[in-house]
């Protein structure tokens, strides 16, 4: 190993250009795994060699950059001109990196960093070892001790390091997604950090010894380390399905539940920031309206993308440009939307009475109608063409076929990260898109206002209210029966093998509480519950019926609390 | 209204609808309106129409060969059957359905056009009974047959009213019967299939039935020919159809023109010509060809890109008013007075400049083609194999400054005589085909060169014969032998110095070099090139080959990019805590792995936001403020969900799953 290294260094002294193969060997030169560390120690002493290396390293880097540029050029991206679009700022490698493992405390740490330095920017690239080491080299020594402290501290200590911001001090335990086998993961994790500590220590020594003399040595080693790290991290991330996250739940926070109205009220109190800039941004987009009209008329269709709701923009487009034209506005984010309803509104425009056997028949009828009468003109405005309901292959095919008609003009917006994947080449040619980036930063108020697009904490309010509503319509006895079942289920909520309450036991309990007098009455009651989807029955392995309430335990707890309040 | 439907129809009353705005108004209103904008739009439409019809003509021309051979196949396939039906092989053939497999290539987007024109050609030349079936039209058997029957009935008008109804009913009841009726009605029949083999089940069902049919009735009663369109290879047919079916097909392959050749022709006829004044700059051409080569191989898309660049050129470049044929452009020079304030530039001068530009282009393309003749046969193709590559290089800069050009000259100096002569011959043809006056001398010169080479041939032969005569060596002594060897050696060394051929070759090379240096100047050296060249490559790329993911990423990661507020200015990979909520939530979520604890997330979010808000003093009580912050968090999270960064998960309570990898 040493000899080869020296040999290589000799080579490096002479040769300026490094061939692809050499670079590859260089990068993948990891056969002597444990020996590398020894070499590192040697390298520390032999500063002269080290000095020579970085130059070469730099050159290699340059070369890579050059290659990247070539590639970019091949793709026809011109960096100077593309200031208006976001596309030039970052290469794809930043958006699509490999999956790697994250440490659970990262977010809290980052947050506190962001909070500590208000208004100022903080480097957030703490997860990438290369960058963290590189930063101190760029004479920003402040961050370094922090990092080392964190990574060398044993796990327990680190846990204590996280400043608890709320009452949940004792609860900030981290566990795997499936709570069993937590030990193994923790150990694995510890091993992982140990390794880190080791290398960090070496790194630290290295810096102490050679920092004043050689600049860039670590980058060399980091590069080697980085490749091995990349590989390790990749496999680590894929080796186990467990993820370490804290066990805290929203239940413990009192303000967890908000309904749509409260949310709206609360948000209306927030004063909007950057309104001047946002207005400017919007004005830029509005200047394009005439151009859009022109291009729509010339056979193109327009798709808008970029962060922020484009609803208001399209609405303004509609009010300023389309007042005298027939147009259909389609809210793709509406949960009940379907291609059928879109086609129906098109036939409504054409004053068609009657029904169609199938969507395809309808489409054909529309196509013929528009081909026959070239004076017909129809604008389709689709908000969120990529919504859950419309993103299916068939829907897209049909909308695409509609849009390919010469006198139907389509202007649509997409928001989802992967929206363009909806279209294969054939569909894209049907749509004949012109892409327009319209980043607005507007809030997706309307788009997210339908309950199914919201997260757990709000959707929780809906079952609760419906639960209360349904149960109020029942007899007191029935309510009692249901309450029994809830209580039993809550008592068993920590039991992972709980499958439900056995019918016989349930009957016994109900009898004891004087709620039923025969198992027939109980059965009748249960049928009613089942009709309301309040319970689910399952046959166990022993043939016995088990009863289960398919509602979140948290909601059940809340329900019981409410019930008790009323009583 | 929101709860009932997601679609809203807006129909202005009838009177209003009548006043429709002419399209050119949109053209002129958008930007600084000027008197010439109307003219510009008209010119755009004129040129685009010309280009479009030219491309259509080209397409037709290129497909002609293929269609001709197909038609021949169709006409012979059945007549051939009946002739030797007593034959044993004819018997076998009788039970097979003649099938043409049309390999169309991977450029799926162009297939539609090809198949449509094929249908047209077949209807005109072979039989009116042609049905074109596309996978998208036939999701199930019912639609399939309906399409088959209805389109057929519409065309032939055989008792449309009564039988259509009947047949549709029949279809719904029993497919088999409708097949009967089908065969009873039509005598000669072709079915075209779309290339996408999504039709799998339908085809096989259909074929099986067809074949059963054949056993009962004879094939000549229902002479069916299938034409499959295939994207990649005919193996697909065998993979999709069970053996029992595919063995009953008599497949013949037809290969359509490769899309690269198609592109070359389109470029040749649309851009490398003075017929159309509009030209593309190097970058634009590069983008268009790259989209073609790296994305879809689609000619249609290429032409769409061409249309967009034409539109953009006329829309955004005021000087484009002069982008028309030469006499018209001369007439329009007065529009220029607005843009040129220099007194020295008079109208006449502009006109002569325009004329020069025209001449420049005429010569340019001739010399370009000539140079291409020389470079396209060289080993390793230093200047590219296709003329478009050469064109791009020449557009970019002085080609003779490039290393590749130097190596081309070197290689040319090593060429053998017959190669060189072939190239010269080709060049001569190129020059002869044009009527340019300036380069008339060049053609003559090449002719001279050719003649010289020819004469070289003859002299060489003479030399050869004389040498062979002298070579007839008699028996000699050592002294004479040495002497004659020395003589021969001398002779060889003189010939090494330079033969006549080498001198001539050198002359040819320097002649080519001089041509290149004189005529292949990059267009931006020419005055008024802005009128003809569209150079805003960025616009084109943005609209044709957009990167929505990266735009999202930039907006979330670096809000300063869009919102030019100093408070948002930050270093690479950083974000200030006053940034929009969604940016902060996004940045925080990047620090998590696959699962995110909502509580942790919301607390981290609250920490950041509170810190940012402390700067501006507010009087709201802390509890209320916390609630507001929580609401903001909820909004940010649900927006991120809409954007597809996270989704709810049941894996763990109050967790969401991340849908993207990495963090930066």
């Amino acid at each position: 190993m040493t000899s080869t290294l020296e040999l290589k260094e000799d080579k490096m002294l002479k040769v300026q250009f490094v061939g692809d193969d050499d670079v590859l060997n260089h990068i993948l030169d990891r056969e002597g795994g444990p020996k590398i560390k020894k070499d590192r120690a040697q390298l520390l002493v032999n500063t002269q060699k080290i000095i020579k290396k970085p130059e070469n390293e730099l050159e290699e880097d340059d070369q890579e950059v050059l290659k990247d540029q070539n590639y970019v050029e091949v793709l026809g991206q011109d960096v100077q001109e593309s200031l208006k679009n976001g596309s030039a700022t970052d290469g794809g490698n930043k958006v699509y990196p490999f999956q790697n493992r994250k440490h659970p405390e990262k977010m809290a740490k980052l947050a506190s960093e962001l909070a500590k330095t208000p208004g100022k920017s903080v480097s957030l690239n703490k997860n990438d070892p290369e960058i963290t080491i590189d930063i101190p080299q760029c004479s920003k020594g402040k961050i370094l001790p922090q990092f080392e402290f964190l990574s060398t501290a044993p796990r327990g200590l680190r846990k204590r390091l996280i400043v608890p911001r709320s009452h949940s001090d004792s609860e900030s335990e981290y566990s795997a997604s499936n709570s069993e086998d937590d030990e193994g993961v923790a150990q694995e994790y510890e091993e992982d950090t140990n390794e880190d500590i080791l290398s960090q220590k070496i790194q630290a020594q290295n810096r102490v010894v050679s920092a004043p003399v050689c600049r860039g040595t670590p980058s060399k080693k980091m590069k080697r380390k980085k490749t091995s790290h990349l590989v390790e991290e990749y496999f680590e991330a894929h080796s186990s399905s467990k993820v370490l996250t804290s066990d805290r739940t929203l239940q413990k926070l009192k303000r967890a539940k908000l309904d749509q109205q409260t949310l709206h009220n609360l948000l209306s109190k927030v004063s909007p920031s950057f309104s001047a800039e946002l207005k400017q941004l919007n004005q830029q987009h509005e200047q394009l309206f005439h151009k859009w009209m022109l291009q729509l008329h010339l056979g193109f269709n327009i798709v808008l993308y970029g962060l922020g709701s484009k609803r208001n923009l399209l609405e303004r487009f509609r009010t300023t440009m389309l007042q005298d034209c027939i147009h259909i506005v389609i809210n793709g984010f509406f949960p009940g939307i379907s291609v059928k309803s879109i086609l129906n509104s098109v036939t409504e425009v054409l004053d068609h009475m009657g029904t169609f056997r199938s969507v395809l028949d309808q489409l054909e009828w529309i196509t013929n109608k528009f081909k026959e009468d070239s004076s017909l003109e129809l604008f389709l405005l689709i908000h969120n063409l990529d919504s859950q309901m419309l993103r299916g292959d068939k829907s897209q095919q049909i909308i695409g076929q509609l849009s390919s008609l010469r006198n139907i003009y389509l202007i649509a917006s997409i928001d989802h990260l992967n929206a363009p994947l909806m279209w294969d080449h054939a569909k894209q040619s049907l749509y004949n898109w012109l892409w327009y980036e319209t980043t607005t930063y507007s809030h997706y108020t309307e788009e997210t206002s339908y309950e199914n697009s919201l997260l757990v904490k709000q959707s929780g309010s809906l079952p609760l209210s419906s639960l209360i509503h349904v149960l109020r319509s029942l007899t007191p006895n029935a309510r009692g029966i249901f309450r029994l079942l809830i209580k039993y289920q809550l008592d068993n909520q920590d039991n992972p093998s709980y499958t439900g309450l056995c019918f016989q036991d349930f009957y016994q309990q109900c009898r004891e509480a004087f709620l039923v007098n025969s198992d027939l009455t109980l059965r009748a009651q249960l049928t009613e519950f089942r009709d309301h989807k309040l319970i689910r029955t399952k046959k166990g392995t022993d043939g016995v019926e088990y009863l289960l309430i398919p509602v979140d335990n948290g909601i059940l707890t809340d329900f019981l609390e409410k019930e008790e309040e009323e009583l | 209204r929101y709860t009932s439907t997601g679609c809203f129809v807006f129909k202005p009353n009838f009177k209003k609808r009548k006043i429709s705005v002419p399209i050119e108004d949109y053209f002129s209103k958008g930007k600084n309106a000027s008197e010439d904008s109307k003219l510009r739009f008209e010119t755009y439409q004129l040129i685009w129409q010309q280009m479009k019809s030219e491309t259509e003509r080209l397409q037709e021309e290129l497909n002609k060969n293929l269609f001709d051979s197909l038609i021949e196949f169709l006409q012979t396939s059945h007549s051939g059957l009946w002739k030797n039906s007593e034959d044993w092989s004819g018997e076998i053939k009788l039970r097979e359905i003649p099938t043409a497999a049309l390999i169309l290539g991977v450029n799926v987007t162009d297939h539609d056009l090809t198949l449509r024109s094929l249908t047209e050609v077949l209807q005109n030349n072979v039989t009116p009974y042609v049905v074109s079936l596309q996978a998208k039209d036939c999701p199930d058997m019912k639609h399939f047959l309906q399409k088959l029957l209805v389109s057929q009935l519409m065309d032939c008008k055989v008792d449309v009213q009564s039988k259509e109804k009947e047949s549709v009913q029949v279809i719904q009841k029993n497919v088999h019967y409708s097949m009967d009726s089908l065969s009873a009605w039509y005598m000669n029949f072709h079915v075209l299939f779309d290339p996408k083999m999504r039709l799998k089940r339908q085809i096989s069902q259909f074929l099986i039935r067809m074949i059963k049919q054949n056993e009962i009735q004879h094939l000549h009663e229902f002479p069916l020919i299938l034409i499959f369109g295939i994207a990649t290879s005919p193996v697909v047919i065998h993979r999709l159809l069970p053996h029992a079916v595919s063995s009953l097909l008599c497949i013949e392959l037809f290969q359509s023109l490769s899309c690269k050749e198609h592109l070359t022709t389109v470029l040749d006829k649309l851009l490398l010509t003075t017929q159309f004044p509009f030209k593309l700059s190097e970058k634009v051409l590069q983008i268009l060809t790259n989209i073609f080569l790296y994305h879809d191989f689609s000619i249609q898309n290429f032409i769409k890109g061409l249309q967009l660049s034409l539109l953009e050129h006329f829309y955004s470049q005021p000087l484009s008013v002069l982008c028309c044929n030469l006499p018209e452009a001369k007439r329009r020079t007065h529009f220029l007075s607005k843009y040129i304030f220099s007194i020295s530039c008079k109208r006449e001068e502009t006109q002569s400049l325009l004329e020069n530009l025209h001449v420049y282009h005429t010569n340019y393309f001739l010399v370009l083609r000539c140079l291409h003749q020389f470079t396209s046969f060289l080993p390793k193709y230093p200047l590219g194999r296709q003329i478009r590559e050469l064109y791009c290089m020449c557009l970019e800069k002085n080609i003779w400054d490039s290393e590749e050009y130097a190596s081309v000259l070197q290689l040319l100096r090593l060429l053998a005589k017959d190669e060189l002569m072939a190239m010269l011959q080709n060049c001569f043809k190129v020059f002869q085909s044009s009527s340019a006056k300036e380069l008339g001398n060049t053609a003559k010169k090449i002719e001279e060169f050719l003649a010289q080479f020819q004469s070289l041939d003859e002299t060489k032969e003479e030399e050869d014969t004389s040498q062979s005569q002298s070579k007839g060596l008699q028996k000699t002594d050592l002294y004479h032998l040495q002497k004659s060897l020395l003589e021969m050696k001398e002779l060889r060394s003189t010939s090494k110095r330079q033969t006549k051929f080498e001198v001539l070759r050198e002359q040819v090379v320097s002649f080519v070099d001089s041509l290149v240096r004189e005529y292949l100047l990059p267009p931006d050296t020419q005055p008024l090139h802005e009128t003809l060249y569209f150079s805003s490559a960025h616009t084109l790329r943005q609209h044709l080959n957009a990167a929505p993911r990266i735009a999202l990423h930039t907006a979330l990661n670096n809000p300063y990019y869009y919102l030019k507020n100093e408070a948002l200015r930050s270093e690479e990979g950083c974000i200030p805590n006053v940034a929009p909520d969604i940016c902060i939530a996004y940045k925080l979520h990047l620090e998590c792995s696959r699962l995110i604890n909502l509580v942790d997330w919301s607390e981290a979010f609250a920490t950041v936001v509170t810190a940012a808000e402390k700067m501006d003093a507010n009087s709201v009580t802390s509890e209320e403020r916390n609630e507001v912050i929580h609401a903001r968090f909820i909004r940010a999270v649900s927006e991120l969900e809409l954007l597809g960064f996270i989704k709810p998960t049941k894996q763990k309570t109050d967790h969401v799953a991340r849908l993207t990898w990495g963090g930066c």
Side-chain angles (χ1 to χ4, degrees), chain A residues 298-355:
Chain A
L298 292 176
F300 297 104
N301 291 311
I302 285 173
V303 62
L304 309 178
Y305 66 94
L307 181 68
S309 167
K310 288 155 280 279
R311 203 172 163 273
N312 289 333
L313 184 70
L314 278 178
E315 195 58 24
R316 269 197 302 282
F317 173 72
R318 189 182 76 80
T319 46
T320 49
M321 308 303 293
L322 299 182
Q323 276 314 306
D324 299 333
C325 315
I326 315 175
H327 55 275
I328 303 176
V329 178
I330 295 149
N331 291 330
F333 50 83
F334 178 72
I337 195 91
S338 67
V339 183
K340 182 81 185 154
S341 54
I342 294 176
L343 290 179
N344 280 343
S345 41
V346 176
T347 37
E348 186 190 325
V349 167
L350 300 176
D351 296 321
H352 176 80
M353 295 296 152
T355 52

Side-chain angles (χ1 to χ4, degrees), chain B residues 171-331:
Chain B
I171 291 161
Q172 280 156 353
K173 275 187 216 152
N174 192 336
V175 182
H176 196 75
Y177 279 117
S178 68
M179 295 317 303
D180 276 338
S181 46
L182 193 69
S183 58
W185 289 337
Y186 308 115
M187 301 310 292
N188 196 358
F189 195 70
H190 300 275
V191 180
L192 265 172
F193 283 104
D194 175 76
K196 278 157 285 167
M197 280 303 194
R198 256 180 272 151
L199 275 173
K200 180 185 168 179
R201 222 181 312 116
Q202 284 85 33
I203 297 177
S204 50
Q205 279 177 3
F206 174 69
L207 286 177
I208 290 165
R209 293 218 157 81
M210 225 16 105
I211 284 145
K212 275 184 193 162
Q213 195 75 33
N214 287 347
E215 283 169 359
I216 309 164
Q217 309 184 347
H218 292 289
L219 191 66
H220 60 261
E221 273 180 33
F222 184 38
L224 172 88
I225 302 175
L226 298 172
I227 302 175
F228 291 121
I230 301 166
T232 48
S233 89
V235 185
V236 179
I237 295 183
H238 298 285
R239 207 178 299 151
L240 287 178
L241 299 175
H243 179 70
V245 175
S246 61
S247 63
L248 286 163
L249 297 177
C250 175
I251 299 173
E252 193 154 328
L253 281 183
F254 293 89
Q255 179 85 48
S256 79
L257 187 83
S258 97
C259 47
K260 269 197 207 160
E261 275 170 56
H262 196 161
L263 177 73
T264 313
T265 330
V266 168
L267 275 178
D268 200 55
K269 289 286 187 295
L270 290 186
L271 290 177
L272 300 177
T273 167
T274 45
Q275 189 191 347
F276 301 105
F278 177 66
K279 299 278 176 296
L280 298 178
S281 79
E282 183 256 339
K283 274 197 173 135
V284 175
L285 187 61
Q286 195 86 25
I287 283 179
L288 285 181
T289 46
N290 282 342
I291 291 178
F292 177 84
L293 292 173
Y294 293 100
H295 288 262
D296 50 13
F297 286 121
S298 162
I299 298 294
Q300 269 195 302
N301 270 354
F302 183 84
I303 288 166
K304 171 192 169 185
L306 202 62
Q307 186 193 0
L308 182 66
S309 18
L310 188 69
L311 177 63
E312 278 289 332
H313 181 59
F314 279 99
Y315 188 78
S316 53
Q317 170 67 269
L319 286 177
S320 61
V321 70
L322 292 182
C323 184
C324 51
N325 55 19
L326 185 62
E328 182 65 35
K330 277 184 183 171
R331 236 171 292 140

Side-chain angles (χ1 to χ4, degrees), chain A residues 67-121:
Chain A
K67 266 187 206 158
D68 276 353
Q69 273 174 352
N70 273 344
Y71 180 65
V72 168
E73 266 169 40
V74 163
L75 281 178
Q77 188 174 36
D78 37 347
V79 185
Q80 304 99 314
E81 280 183 274
S82 56
L83 268 166
K84 243 196 111 185
N85 192 359
S87 51
T89 45
D90 291 306
N93 54 345
K94 281 201 166 175
V95 193
Y96 319 106
F98 280 123
Q99 187 174 14
N100 57 12
R101 197 155 180 180
K102 296 271 165 50
H103 302 288
E105 311 91 331
K106 277 279 155 56
M107 191 156 68
K109 201 157 91 15
L110 170 63
S112 57
E113 261 166 35
L114 274 173
K116 266 180 215 156
T117 51
K120 264 192 178 180
S121 50

Side-chain angles (χ1 to χ4, degrees), chain B residues 325-582:
Chain B
N325 55 19
L326 185 62
E328 182 65 35
K330 277 184 183 171
R331 236 171 292 140
R332 290 184 189 176
T333 40
H334 64 274
F335 285 112
L336 221 59
S337 55
K338 256 196 303 184
Y339 307 104
I340 298 170
F341 300 103
S342 150
I343 316 149
S344 64
C345 210
K346 287 174 197 137
R347 196 171 163 184
E348 291 77 34
E349 226 161 309
T350 344
Q351 283 178 347
S352 76
L353 282 178
L354 280 171
E355 218 159 292
N356 286 346
L357 198 62
H358 184 76
V359 172
Y360 160 79
H361 276 126
T362 324
N363 296 337
Y364 189 94
F365 293 125
L366 277 175
V367 175
L368 186 75
R369 277 171 221 273
C370 169
L371 181 62
H372 179 65
Q373 291 300 337
F374 280 103
T375 58
S376 58
F377 296 104
L378 293 178
K380 283 193 175 174
Y381 311 102
L383 282 178
R385 198 172 187 168
Q386 305 283 347
I387 195 162
R388 59 162 190 270
E389 294 165 75
L390 184 66
Y391 184 44
C392 268
M393 280 190 215
C394 294
L395 283 178
E396 191 189 359
K397 58 183 182 201
N398 290 336
I399 182 91
W400 54 88
D401 289 337
S402 66
E403 274 175 41
E404 290 89 352
Y405 183 74
S407 72
V408 162
L409 287 190
Q410 292 249 296
L411 285 169
L412 283 180
R413 286 194 184 101
L414 296 174
L415 279 179
K417 196 179 72 182
D418 45 349
E419 288 173 309
L420 203 60
M421 275 181 77
M423 285 177 186
L424 277 175
Q425 215 99 47
N426 286 338
C427 275
F428 183 63
K429 272 180 212 153
V430 168
F431 282 113
Q432 240 182 356
S433 66
S434 82
S435 54
K437 300 151 212 160
E438 300 233 337
L439 285 167
N441 305 334
T442 331
K444 243 178 244 166
K445 192 126 190 217
I446 293 174
E447 213 172 3
E448 274 169 32
F449 276 128
L450 279 170
Q452 276 173 331
F453 274 118
Q454 218 93 49
S455 62
L456 207 64
D457 254 357
E458 284 151 25
T459 50
K460 194 91 174 250
E461 270 163 32
E462 280 166 26
E463 263 173 41
D464 278 353
T465 49
S466 64
Q467 263 186 1
S468 62
Q469 274 174 358
S470 68
K471 261 177 197 165
L473 286 173
Q474 297 102 20
K475 267 190 179 176
T476 50
D477 53 9
L478 191 66
Y479 170 75
H480 274 111
L481 181 69
Q482 276 181 337
K483 201 180 168 186
S484 60
L485 279 176
L486 261 174
E487 268 172 16
M488 279 169 76
K489 199 179 172 187
E490 247 170 59
L491 214 144
R492 228 178 270 159
S493 65
T494 49
S495 70
K496 237 178 205 170
R497 250 175 248 149
Q498 238 175 9
T499 59
K500 268 187 189 170
F501 165 66
E502 275 165 337
V503 175
L504 205 53
R505 185 166 64 186
E506 190 59 43
Q507 277 176 2
V508 171
V509 172
S510 59
F511 165 70
V512 172
D513 188 39
S514 69
L515 270 186
V516 167
R517 279 167 199 268
E518 193 177 345
Y519 295 109
L520 283 189
L521 290 158
D524 47 16
T525 58
Q526 303 298 314
L528 287 181
H529 73 275
E530 302 92 337
T531 56
L532 309 184
Y533 281 84
F534 173 66
S535 58
S536 172
H538 167 63
T539 333
L540 202 64
R541 191 184 152 76
Q542 206 184 7
H543 295 327
L544 290 180
N545 196 12
R549 283 184 72 136
I550 292 179
L552 260 188
H553 175 82
T554 313
L556 287 168
N557 239 341
N558 184 13
Y560 180 70
Y561 194 86
Y562 294 97
L563 306 171
K564 300 285 179 205
N565 189 314
E566 284 309 306
L568 288 173
R569 192 190 274 282
S570 64
E571 291 161 46
E572 172 81 11
C574 311
I575 198 165
N577 54 17
V578 289
D581 291 349
I582 189 170

Side-chain angles (χ1 to χ4, degrees), chain A residues 74 85 94 241 246 248 250 291 311 327 329 331 334 349 417-418 432-433 435 437 441 455 458, chain B residues 2 6 8 10-11 290 304 312 541 543 549 555 561-562 572 577 594 597 600 634 637 639 643 654:
Chain A
V74 163
N85 192 359
K94 281 201 166 175
S241 57
S246 87
R248 296 187 292 168
L250 288 166
K291 200 171 174 184
R311 203 172 163 273
H327 55 275
V329 178
N331 291 330
F334 178 72
V349 167
L417 183 65
N418 296 324
N432 201 18
W433 287 131
W435 297 75
E437 184 187 340
Y441 282 99
L455 278 176
Q458 275 126 345
Chain B
Y2 274 119
F8 306 98
F10 294 90
K11 220 171 168 182
N290 282 342
K304 171 192 169 185
E312 278 289 332
R541 191 184 152 76
H543 295 327
R549 283 184 72 136
Y561 194 86
Y562 294 97
E572 172 81 11
N577 54 17
R594 277 186 296 118
N597 185 316
D600 288 352
I634 291 172
V637 168
E639 283 175 356
L643 293 175
D654 291 332

